[in-house]
Amino acid sequence: MNPRLTAIAGRLKGSVFTIEDLPVVIGRETNATLCIADASVSRRHSQIDKEEDEFVILDLDSLNGTFINDVPVKRRKLQHGDRVRIGDSQFLFLMHESARPRSSSDVHLNDGKIVSGSTLQVRFNDALYLMARDLSALMKVSTTINAIRGVEELQKTLLELLFEVVPAERGAIFLADHIPAAGEEAQFTSVFGLDREHGTSQSVQVSRTITRTVLHQGEALLINNQPPPVGLDSDSLITDRPNSILCVPLIMLNHTLGVIYLDTRAPDTFFDTDHLQLVSAISAITAVALDNARHIEWLVSENQRLVADFGIEHNLVGESAPIRSVLQFISKVAPTDSTVLISGESGTGKELVARAIHRNSKRANKPFMAVNCAALAEALLESELFGHERGSFTGALVQKKGRLEFADGGTVFLDEIGELSTALQVKLLRVLQEREFERVGGTRSLKVDIRLITATNKDLEKAVADGTFRQDLYYRLNVVSLEMPPLRERHEDIPLLASYFAAKYGEKCKRRVSGISTEAQARLTAYDWPGNVRELENAIERAVVLGTTDRILPEDLPESVLESHESVREPATGYHEALARTKKEMILEAMQLSKGNYTEAAKLLRVHPNYLHRLIRNLNLKEHLKDNQRNAKLQT
């Protein structure tokens, strides 16, 4: 395991930071473990620590938040491949290497025997001084490989270049994630073989003993047709008896990435020390290129996965206990086909849960059809759900399939199910019981395979008692139920949600939003949000559109949030109190000089009249100005 952060965007792009001494503090201050010189990053922004065997990232109450895969978090366990966004910088958290199989010559590690003899072992560092010896060959190798990004293409090109300077008939390159322990078999993540004459169509036999020895010891080996030295087992040397074998390690920063293996069976051809030293020098300058190519390919695949994740329109944001319970519920019910009833206040995210259940089910690649039962009249809703036959009613000029028919194999989500008429309740009950229905005006029954998820903000049990909702349908719908928590019961999620929406609408409106001020966050948290997450989202969108700075300020928030009596609990510092007092004095003076004319007062203050109106409301100056106007009239 080699935990590290790889910067993929921002000022540190291309840098790799190994996570060794814990905790790792990330921030703007110079003594931070990972210092990011960016104004959008707090002095001590976040911290990575280890709990048992897992790495955890903590947000240190930063101003602009810490995002994992574009979702703001306070505390989150890090997984291999997670994308960490801090300010304008983005990092990938990596714990191990990965590579997909490549097409090449078949490479077989053989345990057969060979009659061989003289063996020369050369330490890696001893060969580095020879890098200038054959400058033209090394320059060609360096120039060529630095223009290649794919691992497979790089390996093939490298072997072809080696064939130009070494009289080898066959070659292979092995890449490993780690050096195996003594007695443990090496696990190679990438193996590429090439035959000089037949290309990739000819299989390549490779000595298991030699590759294991070079990988463990980190020393190059040259073996010619002589008895092997004491200490090197020849039992596994290959059966087709190569006349000469050369194997060198690929080492970068004292870490062995793998080995390069070359051999020849020509009886009059031998590798010598010059060949060994030259290949060792080439391996020194290609190890970095191979490691970078592996990183790039992995990053590309991860980027595709993350782009797909980012493209998901609906996400559940939050880390509170109620949201964790919702996520646990989704994980349990998603793999099943059970009917789900989601209840809760308007704006709590019932449709988000329904989509999450569908996305994590075996029906994920089938349609998801959402219908709001309160948005359409009864006749239109019936046609929308079940479809209609041509001529079944005035205006039915053609046959139309309904949502249930289109959703065959997938999921149907009926929102506001409590608004369904009694007649449609009967038809829906038949769908649940028989999994069949008839189009409006039709006589033929249609079979359908759907999963039904419903949602309501009404008390269906009370509706059953009142006789407005069928009891048998209620029991059919209420197989598995979930009560969505209102936002006032998870105040700790408000800063995360606000940061998420600020980033979302900042990008959508093409406006830079670096964060939310402390005062604005305090007012957001103090408000009860009767409209729940939907109201919060609208408030943040409004603040992004109307805001005049790169941060969301209290005056950018709706009046309902600012006028909440709970907002007086906002912690104020001497600085902010003095600033508010100064604003009040300047506004009162300008209004007095302009004799109550808002437009003239705005000109004196050099602000927009709309902004002045907002400041007066936010600073609670309306009554004070009215008193001043009344006093002025009495004096005249």
Side-chain angles (χ1 to χ4, degrees):
M1 187 171 64
N2 181 25
R4 61 201 179 279
L5 289 173
T6 299
I8 59 174
R11 298 170 184 245
L12 303 174
K13 183 178 180 181
S15 303
V16 179
F17 303 91
T18 303
I19 298 175
E20 296 176 344
D21 298 327
L22 296 171
V24 174
V25 177
I26 306 171
R28 197 175 71 249
E29 63 182 13
T30 54
N31 61 344
T33 314
L34 174 51
C35 178
I36 306 176
D38 182 354
S40 62
V41 177
S42 301
R43 293 180 62 82
R44 291 174 62 85
H45 197 104
S46 53
Q47 173 179 301
I48 296 177
D49 211 339
K50 198 170 185 182
E51 295 181 2
E52 296 179 353
D53 293 330
E54 296 182 304
F55 288 91
V56 176
I57 189 165
L58 305 170
D59 183 82
L60 302 178
D61 295 324
S62 64
L63 186 61
N64 298 325
T66 301
F67 292 74
I68 304 297
N69 301 329
D70 290 310
V71 176
V73 300
K74 286 293 183 184
R75 178 186 178 279
R76 176 68 62 85
K77 291 180 181 179
L78 288 170
Q79 304 292 330
H80 178 71
D82 277 346
R83 178 157 49 94
V84 182
R85 174 155 61 87
I86 296 173
D88 291 334
S89 298
Q90 294 191 49
F91 305 86
L92 281 178
F93 176 74
L94 307 175
M95 297 183 66
H96 54 79
E97 310 291 347
S98 64
R100 54 186 174 84
R102 311 296 179 194
S103 60
S104 71
S105 291
D106 291 334
V107 178
H108 303 286
L109 288 166
N110 199 298
D111 294 320
K113 295 185 178 181
I114 186 173
V115 179
S116 62
S118 65
T119 302
L120 177 65
Q121 294 182 238
V122 177
R123 290 190 177 277
F124 178 77
N125 291 336
D126 296 339
L128 294 182
Y129 79 96
L130 295 162
M131 292 183 67
R133 178 169 171 171
D134 194 336
L135 187 59
S136 61
L138 295 176
M139 285 294 292
K140 181 177 181 180
V141 170
S142 179
T143 303
T144 304
I145 65 172
N146 284 331
I148 300 173
R149 287 293 176 262
V151 175
E152 181 179 314
E153 183 184 359
L154 182 56
Q155 291 172 318
K156 182 175 183 294
T157 303
L158 177 56
L159 288 173
E160 289 173 346
L161 291 171
L162 287 170
F163 288 161
E164 292 182 11
V165 295
V166 177
E169 290 183 318
R170 301 173 301 182
I173 296 176
F174 297 83
L175 298 179
D177 276 339
H178 66 281
I179 300 175
E184 180 185 353
E185 191 61 45
Q187 299 296 322
F188 297 109
T189 59
S190 175
V191 178
F192 190 95
L194 190 67
D195 186 283
R196 178 193 288 267
E197 182 178 351
H198 301 97
T200 59
S201 63
Q202 184 75 30
S203 64
V204 177
Q205 300 287 327
V206 176
S207 165
R208 189 187 306 276
T209 296
I210 291 179
T211 56
R212 184 169 54 214
T213 300
V214 173
L215 192 63
H216 272 281
Q217 298 182 1
E219 298 178 358
L221 278 178
L222 169 61
I223 301 178
N224 286 317
N225 196 10
Q226 300 277 335
V230 177
L232 181 61
D233 179 22
S234 64
D235 286 346
S236 73
L237 299 184
I238 53 183
T239 56
D240 55 354
R241 300 185 59 180
N243 195 48
S244 196
I245 298 174
L246 194 156
C247 189
V248 300
L250 288 159
I251 297 179
M252 186 187 74
L253 301 176
N254 297 322
H255 173 62
T256 304
L257 306 177
V259 299
I260 298 175
Y261 180 95
L262 300 170
D263 72 25
T264 178
R265 289 166 295 183
D268 56 347
T269 302
F270 295 94
F271 300 145
D272 55 26
T273 56
D274 288 345
H275 295 137
L276 178 64
Q277 291 164 348
L278 178 59
V279 175
S280 296
I282 290 174
S283 75
I285 62 177
T286 56
V288 175
L290 284 166
D291 192 55
N292 287 341
R294 283 199 299 175
H295 276 304
I296 290 171
E297 285 198 348
W298 189 88
L299 291 174
V300 168
S301 64
E302 281 300 295
N303 183 59
Q304 291 172 348
R305 181 183 68 82
L306 293 171
V307 166
D309 289 345
F310 185 75
I312 295 172
E313 183 180 354
H314 303 282
N315 293 296
L316 287 167
V317 177
E319 295 182 347
S320 62
I323 282 296
R324 287 199 298 271
S325 297
V326 170
L327 295 174
Q328 187 178 17
F329 174 87
I330 293 172
S331 67
K332 287 182 178 179
V333 303
T336 72
D337 271 336
S338 299
T339 303
V340 180
L341 174 62
I342 307 170
S343 57
E345 297 176 9
S346 178
T348 52
K350 296 186 289 294
E351 185 172 344
L352 300 185
V353 172
R355 289 184 180 273
I357 291 172
H358 172 72
R359 246 187 347 260
N360 293 280
S361 72
K362 59 187 178 183
R363 300 174 181 264
N365 60 344
K366 297 294 183 179
F368 177 90
M369 291 291 174
V371 180
N372 190 322
C373 299
L376 299 172
E378 180 181 346
L380 291 176
L381 181 58
E382 184 178 12
S383 174
E384 188 71 19
L385 285 175
F386 303 104
H388 62 254
E389 298 290 350
R390 179 182 178 184
S392 58
F393 55 84
T394 303
L397 302 178
V398 295
Q399 183 193 73
K400 176 190 173 183
K401 292 183 178 181
R403 296 292 185 95
L404 296 179
E405 200 169 344
F406 278 119
D408 189 30
T411 304
V412 174
F413 172 63
L414 299 182
D415 199 6
E416 305 298 348
I417 190 68
E419 304 296 333
L420 208 62
S421 68
T422 305
L424 288 181
Q425 289 179 32
V426 174
K427 295 194 71 171
L428 182 60
L429 181 61
R430 184 188 175 199
V431 173
L432 289 171
Q433 290 175 334
E434 308 296 337
R435 287 299 192 265
E436 64 179 29
F437 65 94
E438 296 169 1
R439 297 194 189 105
V440 176
T443 58
R444 183 168 61 93
S445 293
L446 302 173
K447 288 285 186 180
V448 67
D449 172 26
I450 60 168
R451 179 182 193 172
L452 188 65
I453 302 176
T454 58
T456 182
N457 58 8
K458 287 187 172 183
D459 185 349
L460 289 188
E461 289 187 356
K462 185 176 183 300
V464 169
D466 294 340
T468 59
F469 200 86
R470 292 182 62 95
Q471 186 179 47
D472 47 1
L473 177 59
Y474 171 68
Y475 290 140
R476 283 284 183 180
L477 297 177
N478 194 29
V479 177
V480 183
S481 61
L482 169 69
E483 177 78 22
M484 286 298 293
L487 189 54
R488 62 181 173 274
E489 292 181 5
R490 53 186 188 104
H491 274 269
E492 59 267 43
D493 288 336
I494 292 175
L496 298 178
L497 286 161
S499 297
Y500 175 76
F501 292 135
K504 174 183 175 180
Y505 287 105
E507 182 177 354
K508 185 176 180 180
C509 298
K510 308 297 182 185
R511 178 171 174 261
R512 175 183 170 83
V513 180
S514 62
I516 303 172
S517 71
T518 305
E519 300 93 328
Q521 282 198 10
R523 291 181 183 269
L524 290 172
T525 306
Y527 186 53
D528 273 343
W529 300 106
N532 294 294
V533 179
R534 186 179 293 121
E535 184 185 5
L536 174 61
E537 181 176 4
N538 292 339
I540 297 300
E541 182 180 6
R542 174 188 185 276
V544 170
V545 172
L546 298 179
T548 55
T549 68
D550 63 348
R551 294 172 62 200
I552 294 177
L553 305 175
E555 52 262 34
D556 300 326
L557 301 175
E559 291 182 33
S560 56
V561 176
L562 298 174
E563 292 173 359
S564 171
H565 69 279
E566 293 292 337
S567 63
V568 299
R569 299 179 183 176
E570 172 194 343
T573 63
Y575 166 76
H576 292 104
E577 290 173 344
L579 183 61
R581 191 164 52 247
T582 303
K583 285 182 180 179
K584 290 179 180 180
E585 292 173 355
M586 292 179 66
I587 292 171
L588 291 173
E589 183 180 358
M591 291 296 290
Q592 185 177 2
L593 291 173
S594 66
K595 298 180 180 180
N597 188 307
Y598 279 82
T599 303
E600 293 299 322
K603 288 181 180 178
L604 291 173
L605 294 170
R606 297 181 181 179
V607 298
H608 195 279
N610 291 344
Y611 184 58
L612 177 58
H613 277 282
R614 210 157 61 223
L615 281 174
I616 290 172
R617 288 196 301 268
N618 296 344
L619 295 171
N620 299 317
L621 292 178
K622 283 185 177 181
E623 293 300 323
H624 194 85
L625 289 172
K626 288 180 181 178
D627 291 340
N628 287 351
Q629 290 175 355
R630 282 195 293 266
N631 293 334
K633 288 180 180 179
L634 291 173
Q635 290 175 2
T636 57

